[in-house]
């Protein structure tokens, strides 16, 4: 059985926690998109881990695959790897020879470009790394071992950006070589390794990063990340055929958050937003930025569940809304007429709210009414509910 775990909102739904919860039954945990823009927090043996690149499942001793669809910053990977080792975890990983390498130039360009574009990126060099990939001047992990190839691509990329200085480029090429060489033993053609493992009957959990509403095609463009983060992204991001996926689990919160700029129709401000932000610790795991807060938006949820092909839902952070008398939920949009799904431009849509009764505990009927409502609107069963941060607070239902 192979399953995928993907985000149904704007990221930070608790994908890391759900992957950790499910990982036990799988041999391999594979990531297919993004890079260190992701921040997956997991509470493991009473300790909080923040993972950016390494799939969360390695905490349970599983093999983590960093797929070709990823943008990998090896300086971050090195730190993450070392900090896991310090905690007594020996990460078992496979890194794709075809994944693209984030260099200092990509990070500089991310900052410069975002100053002008104003997306509010994580400034981890992700956008520019996908930019050089499609411009055909990127450096793949396996290219690093050929000095000529790497130097040539770095020259071309920096020339195209107008930041070419020979000495700087040579220095960066040496630094990248140094960083990547440390991981040489883990680098393989993961598309071959993974497909052979699947054919041999191994169970794979595909760990999504970011989320449907940040997908470069289906998110709130241009306020999106630069890769395909819906379930479809795993096909090209790992080189596996569609038929290998048996089930897709969408992760969501009963409210919403967003980091960075971009439309957010149900966004709220003031005391309630502040209260939920603090109670839910809604601060970026990667950048520390306070997350914007909003009510559940059903047009966006219906859309995310539809394009992501979600079979089941994992509902996280349910405890954060505990104690609220009434919970507003946007059932439709008013954008010169009522809409069940978001139109291409959602900036001018006004959410039409209904209020649902709040809950006092995980046993409260009102919570289960809320859950049934989500199932009906998303067209998928809620199978996992998490009511607290630790693994014990996560329950399988239904
Ligand atoms: P996880 O996997 C939340 C957002 C950034 C910005 C936009 C583009 O932890 O859910 P980028 O650096 O990717 O070019 O930024 O996407 N973003 C995320 N927001 N969680 C994430 O990952 C994110 N990865 C990117 O805030 O608005
Ligand atoms: Mg995050």
């Amino acid at each position: 059985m192979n399953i995928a775990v993907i985000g149904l909102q704007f990221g930070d739904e608790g994908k890391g926690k759900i992957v950790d919860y499910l990982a036990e039954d799988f041999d391999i945990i594979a990531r297919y998109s993004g890079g260190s823009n992701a921040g997956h927090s997991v509470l493991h043996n009473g300790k909080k881990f923040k993972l950016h690149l390494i799939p969360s499942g390695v905490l349970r001793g599983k093999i983590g695959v960093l797929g070709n669809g990823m943008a990998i910053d090896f300086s971050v990977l090195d730190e993450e790897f070392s900090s896991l080792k310090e905690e007594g975890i020996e990460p078992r990983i496979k890194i794709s020879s075809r994944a693209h390498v984030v260099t200092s130039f990509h990070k500089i360009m991310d900052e410069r470009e975002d100053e002008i574009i104003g997306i509010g990126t994580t400034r981890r060099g992700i956008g520019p790394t996908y930019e050089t990939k499609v411009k055909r001047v990127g450096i793949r992990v396996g290219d690093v071992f050929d000095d000529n190839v790497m130097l040539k691509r770095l020259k071309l990329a920096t020339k195209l950006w107008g930041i070419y200085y020979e000495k700087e480029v040579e220095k960066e090429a040496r630094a990248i070589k140094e960083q990547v060489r440390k991981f040489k033993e883990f680098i393989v053609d993961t598309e071959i390794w993974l497909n052979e493992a699947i054919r041999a009957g191994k169970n794979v959990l595909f760990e999504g990063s970011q989320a449907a509403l940040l997908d470069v095609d289906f998110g709130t463009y241009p306020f999106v990340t630069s890769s395909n983060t819906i379930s479809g992204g795993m096909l090209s991001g790992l080189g596996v055929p569609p038929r290998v996926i048996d089930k897709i689990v969408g992760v969501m919160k009963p409210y919403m958050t967003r980091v960075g700029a971009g439309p957010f129709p149900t966004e709220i401000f003031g005391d309630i937003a502040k209260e939920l932000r603090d109670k839910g610790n809604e601060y970026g795991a990667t950048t520390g930025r306070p997350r914007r807060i909003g009510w559940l938006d059903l047009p966006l949820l219906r859309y995310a569940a539809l394009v992501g092909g979600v079979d089941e839902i994992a509902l996280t952070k349910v405890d954060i809304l505990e104690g609220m008398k009434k919970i507003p939920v946007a059932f439709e949009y008013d954008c010169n007429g009522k809409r069940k799904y978001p139109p291409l431009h959602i900036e001018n849509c006004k959410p039409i709210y209904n209020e649902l009764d709040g809950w006092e505990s995980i046993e409260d009927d009102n919570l289960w009414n809320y859950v049934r409502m989500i199932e009906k609107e998303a067209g998928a069963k809620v199978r996992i509910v998490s009511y607290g941060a630790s693994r014990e607070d996560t329950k399988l239902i239904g």
Side-chain angles (χ1 to χ4, degrees):
M1 174 102 168
N2 304 316
I3 73 166
V5 174
I6 62 166
L8 286 180
Q9 297 169 325
F10 291 107
D12 308 322
E13 300 91 351
K15 295 178 289 293
K17 184 167 61 177
I18 298 302
V19 169
D20 174 67
Y21 176 75
L22 296 172
E24 206 56 54
D25 298 331
F26 295 85
D27 307 297
I28 298 162
I29 317 294
R31 254 191 71 181
Y32 57 90
S33 68
S36 48
N37 49 350
H40 297 172
S41 311
V42 183
L43 206 60
H44 180 74
N45 289 343
K47 215 191 158 298
K48 193 172 174 182
F49 289 88
K50 269 187 196 174
L51 297 167
H52 300 287
L53 286 164
I54 299 181
S56 321
V58 299
L59 299 174
R60 309 201 157 267
K62 309 296 177 173
I63 301 179
V65 174
L66 284 74
N68 57 279
M70 289 183 71
I72 304 176
D73 182 337
F74 278 82
S75 62
V76 176
L77 184 61
D78 194 23
E79 267 174 41
E80 211 164 285
F81 202 87
S82 308
S83 64
L84 285 173
K85 280 179 110 167
E86 271 167 35
E87 296 297 331
I89 293 160
E90 187 72 42
R92 297 161 72 201
I93 57 171
K94 304 275 176 199
I95 303 168
S96 169
S97 56
R98 292 169 187 269
H100 278 248
V101 178
V102 180
T103 72
S104 303
F105 299 122
H106 293 93
K107 287 182 266 191
I108 290 168
M109 290 311 291
D110 200 0
E111 259 187 69
R112 285 194 190 176
E113 291 182 342
D114 201 42
E115 289 295 333
I116 297 166
I117 307 171
I119 287 168
T121 72
T122 58
R123 310 227 166 160
R124 296 301 188 268
I126 305 301
T129 303
Y130 289 116
E131 188 185 324
T132 50
K133 174 178 176 174
V134 295
K135 263 161 131 178
R136 292 154 293 183
V137 293
I139 300 163
R140 295 172 304 172
V141 172
D143 293 332
V144 173
F145 300 97
D146 184 325
D147 286 344
N148 292 331
V149 172
M150 177 162 58
L151 213 51
K152 187 175 167 200
R153 302 270 175 78
L154 262 188
K155 263 186 202 168
L156 289 171
T158 50
K159 277 184 180 167
L160 288 168
W161 278 328
I163 56 167
Y164 172 67
Y165 302 99
E166 194 177 355
K167 287 275 167 299
E168 291 297 311
V169 164
E170 283 170 0
K171 195 171 136 209
E172 181 64 10
R174 281 196 297 276
I176 294 293
K177 198 169 147 187
E178 193 71 14
Q179 288 169 13
V180 178
R181 203 161 43 192
K182 282 194 193 168
F183 289 90
K184 193 164 183 187
E185 62 181 297
F186 304 111
I187 299 167
V188 295
D189 297 330
T190 50
E191 69 282 16
I192 299 173
W193 183 87
L194 188 61
N195 277 301
E196 289 202 325
I198 292 171
R199 282 186 183 179
K202 300 283 184 211
N203 297 319
V204 185
L205 191 163
F206 299 97
E207 177 176 348
S209 65
Q210 289 79 49
L213 305 174
L214 290 173
D215 183 280
V216 67
D217 282 283
F218 302 106
T220 53
Y221 192 88
F223 300 97
V224 293
T225 192
S226 302
S227 61
N228 283 118
T229 55
I230 60 163
S231 50
M234 81 186 65
L235 309 179
S236 56
L238 281 161
V240 294
R243 65 175 174 276
V244 305
I245 304 158
D246 299 300
K247 189 164 78 183
I248 300 168
V249 179
V251 189
M252 61 176 283
K253 298 188 275 207
Y255 56 98
M256 293 174 76
T257 61
R258 170 161 210 169
V259 211
F264 188 179
T266 58
E267 183 168 17
I268 54 169
F269 304 90
D271 290 347
I272 303 179
K274 190 180 175 315
E275 209 178 294
L276 292 177
R277 183 178 300 117
D278 290 339
K279 199 170 165 192
N281 190 25
E282 297 292 1
Y283 294 89
T286 297
T287 55
R289 291 178 291 177
R291 295 176 185 148
R292 298 159 67 193
I293 310 281
W295 302 123
L296 187 59
D297 181 323
L298 294 179
L300 288 178
L301 175 64
R302 289 182 195 111
Y303 186 74
L306 190 71
V307 297
V310 170
D311 301 302
E312 290 181 0
I313 289 174
L315 189 62
T316 62
K317 290 198 155 177
V318 179
D319 53 313
I320 305 305
L321 293 188
E322 184 186 281
M324 285 193 61
K325 289 278 163 288
K326 294 280 180 188
I327 302 168
V329 174
F331 274 71
E332 284 175 307
Y333 283 163
D334 179 1
C335 358
N336 295 323
K338 285 188 178 174
R339 295 268 202 158
K340 186 179 162 202
Y341 286 106
L344 184 62
H345 298 283
I346 63 169
E347 295 80 358
N348 306 317
C349 293
K350 271 188 59 176
I352 304 171
Y353 291 105
N354 276 353
E355 288 197 333
L356 276 77
D357 292 328
W359 49 87
E360 295 292 339
S361 74
I362 193 167
E363 268 96 43
D364 197 326
D365 284 344
N366 292 340
L367 163 60
W368 299 101
N369 288 338
Y370 198 91
V371 167
R372 298 285 103 82
M373 178 276 294
I374 288 172
E375 291 182 330
K376 180 165 171 271
E377 300 301 334
K381 275 262 171 243
V382 173
R383 287 301 309 279
I384 297 170
V385 169
S386 97
Y387 207 93
S390 78
R391 196 159 193 252
E392 292 65 45
D393 301 319
T394 303
K395 294 188 170 41
L396 196 62
I397 59 159

